[in-house]
Amino acid sequence: MEKVPSKEILAKLITVTVLNKTGKKIDEFQMRGGSNLWVFIRKRGLPIGSACSGVGVCGACHLKVTEKNPQSISEKNNFEKETLANNQKSPDERLACLCRVSGDITIQADYW
Ligand code: FES
């Protein structure tokens, strides 16, 4: 079961830095702490895969996440690991639709 974010996390504004595949910064936006990363990327208008509508089975929303603090993003669970493996994605990547963000992060995708 997914943990409910604390009031402190919900009150935070998180900065998300977006890099393209070459590492160049292409965007930066803020989102409310505890929010779903995939939802905010879509709201921002960045193209991101969504073949399964964000339920974590297609692997299309895969991206790299770099965080200063390991608690900045929800832990990768077995379901996410299995989806990455089943869709031949790198085990180092994350599925945006399964990530809740609670601290500043940098994201990078090979399709940006
Ligand atoms: S949108 Fe399908 S796994 Fe994230």
Side-chain angles (χ1 to χ4, degrees):
M1 180 178 266
E2 193 172 346
K3 263 176 43 180
V4 177
S6 68
K7 285 181 184 174
E8 292 78 24
I9 289 173
L10 292 172
K12 285 171 72 176
L13 267 184
I14 307 302
T15 299
V16 179
T17 303
V18 183
L19 308 179
N20 69 8
K21 63 183 169 191
T22 66
K24 180 182 175 195
K25 181 178 170 181
I26 57 170
D27 198 5
E28 184 174 284
F29 62 94
Q30 292 194 309
M31 57 189 282
R32 182 68 53 200
S35 299
N36 179 285
L37 180 58
W38 181 79
V39 170
F40 267 83
I41 290 171
R42 287 171 54 92
K43 280 185 182 172
R44 185 69 180 174
L46 288 166
I48 188 161
S50 58
C52 71
S53 300
V55 297
V57 296
C58 72
C61 65
H62 67 107
L63 42 70
K64 292 180 188 158
V65 177
T66 309
E67 68 279 352
K68 292 178 191 153
N69 182 333
Q71 275 98 42
S72 293
I73 195 153
S74 54
E75 276 185 47
K76 190 185 298 183
N77 62 23
N78 287 337
F79 179 70
E80 185 176 355
K81 290 175 188 172
E82 286 172 20
T83 299
L84 286 165
N86 292 341
N87 292 284
Q88 292 83 46
K89 306 301 180 199
S90 168
D92 296 336
E93 291 186 301
R94 298 299 307 265
L95 296 175
C97 69
L98 298 180
C99 290
R100 295 233 171 244
V101 181
S102 54
D104 295 349
I105 59 170
T106 299
I107 58 176
Q108 182 176 21
D110 58 9
Y111 42 86
W112 290 333

